[in-house]
Amino acid sequence: MTPADLSRCVVSAVRCAVEDGELGGAVPARVVVERTRPGGVGEYATPVAFQIAKDAGVRPAEVAEVLARRLGAVAGIERVEITGAGFLNFSLASVSAAQLVRDLRPVTGAVTGAVAVVEVPDPPSGELRERLVRAAVARIAAAQGVRPGPAVSVAPVARRDGDVLARYGADAVAWAVLTTPARETPEFCDALLVQGEGNELFRVRYAHARTHALVHNAEQLGFRPEPGEVDAPALLRVLADHPLVLEAAAHHRAPERLARHLVELADALLDFQHHVLPKGDEKPSAAHRARLALAEAAGTVLAGGLALLGIDAPTRL
């Protein structure tokens, strides 16, 4: 079971509990499931019990107990625990690398159309940061087929929009703005222009470009990507979280969640890239094809994520 599957399973459990008379209230169309914070219980958590309890007029803990019983019997969920006043926490069975690569294809494929069709009117103020945030959130929500969460106020850019864009360029400005939480003020400095590891945007773009180079080099060696099992826990974990990150970014109107995720994914991919191609006299094998498929999937996610943020993803740097 993938984290995205988990979100759908929770919705299904709520629906069945309502239909069977165990719970009252409306069934949510979607449920936000997020990675458990450091020090928390399990791998993933959701506050859905609080949402249901408010409509049903009962305690969240009662709702959580009903859902925990149902979800504990679902294949792929190893453990369900209740913490606090009613948070549901989950531990999942390991995800197949081959299945993860296949599952990501429709998620990343939906990005292209969403970016092409979404148009966001400028706010009356025309303020740069607000325009960038509104557009990014609209793209992310469209890619998920959902409406974005309620609008949030953002701190304005401290310098004149034109001066900032002329100095740093549209992509660097967008990255600086969209990686900054709403209540903080974006900072612009020359580090945004450095083509090196210290620049997060460069790392994300470089990791994406590396996947294209790996696929090209593999073709020259006579093999192509093919989904299979891969021992890459760090990269697999970040990729598995991608659909949930998109949902959370849309729900909270927080594009910085997607941007942070892209940096984490890029770093995991850059560590993994050295194991993709055969070395020396080694012949291409099923393992190499599987590693290449995983790297290619990661590159596609990076390109799609940058597109949702309105930032270019070059194939060569």
Side-chain angles (χ1 to χ4, degrees):
M1 174 176 292
T2 67
D5 293 331
L6 175 60
S7 180
R8 291 188 287 269
C9 282
V10 175
V11 172
S12 178
V14 174
R15 181 180 297 109
C16 291
V18 170
E19 291 174 351
D20 292 345
E22 287 190 275
L23 294 177
V27 178
R30 285 177 179 251
V31 168
V32 175
V33 176
E34 299 181 90
R35 172 70 68 169
T36 304
R37 295 180 180 178
V41 175
E43 300 170 297
Y44 299 94
T46 178
V48 66
F50 295 86
Q51 179 181 349
I52 304 301
K54 183 177 180 181
D55 293 338
V58 298
R59 294 186 301 112
E62 295 177 36
V63 177
E65 289 171 3
V66 170
L67 296 179
R69 286 197 301 270
R70 289 177 173 271
L71 291 165
V74 174
I77 299 180
E78 292 190 340
R79 188 169 63 256
V80 183
E81 299 177 71
I82 302 172
T83 58
F87 289 94
L88 285 168
N89 300 262
F90 305 91
S91 296
L92 304 183
S94 299
V95 179
S96 160
Q99 189 60 48
L100 177 60
V101 170
R102 296 188 186 101
D103 289 343
L104 280 171
R105 287 174 176 170
V107 174
T108 54
V111 167
T112 303
V115 173
V117 301
V118 171
E119 294 183 3
V120 181
D122 288 347
S125 66
E127 203 277 321
L128 173 64
R129 185 181 188 186
E130 188 175 350
R131 294 201 309 270
L132 291 172
V133 172
R134 282 163 58 93
V137 171
R139 294 190 202 98
I140 296 168
Q144 298 300 293
V146 300
R147 294 174 60 86
V152 296
S153 299
V154 295
V157 173
R159 298 162 63 174
R160 291 181 56 188
D161 295 355
D163 293 343
V164 170
L165 288 170
R167 171 63 179 164
Y168 301 104
D171 285 342
V173 168
W175 181 261
V177 165
L178 297 175
T179 54
T180 305
R183 296 179 181 179
E184 300 177 15
T185 302
E187 293 186 8
F188 300 95
C189 62
D190 289 346
L192 291 169
L193 305 176
V194 175
Q195 301 297 291
E197 293 184 358
N199 183 339
E200 291 182 337
L201 176 57
F202 174 81
R203 294 208 307 275
V204 172
R205 284 172 146 176
Y206 178 65
H208 168 254
R210 284 298 302 148
T211 64
H212 284 264
L214 290 170
V215 172
H216 176 71
N217 292 340
E219 289 177 350
Q220 292 182 321
L221 293 173
F223 74 100
R224 298 180 61 80
E226 182 178 322
E229 293 313 304
V230 181
D231 183 19
L235 183 54
L236 288 170
R237 180 186 64 80
V238 183
L239 280 174
D241 284 350
H242 182 65
L244 293 185
V245 171
L246 291 179
E247 288 190 3
H251 178 77
H252 296 290
R253 292 187 57 89
E256 71 272 10
R257 293 182 178 228
L258 173 57
R260 289 198 301 266
H261 176 72
L262 295 181
V263 173
E264 187 178 4
L265 175 57
D267 289 342
L269 177 57
L270 290 174
D271 287 340
F272 175 71
Q273 65 167 325
H274 306 293
H275 307 288
V276 173
L277 299 179
K279 298 178 181 179
D281 296 331
E282 190 178 14
K283 300 296 183 182
S285 66
H288 294 111
R289 292 192 291 273
R291 292 173 199 153
L292 183 63
L294 182 60
E296 184 182 48
T300 303
V301 170
L302 289 173
L306 287 172
L308 290 176
L309 296 177
I311 297 174
D312 183 46
T315 56
R316 297 183 64 182
L317 285 178

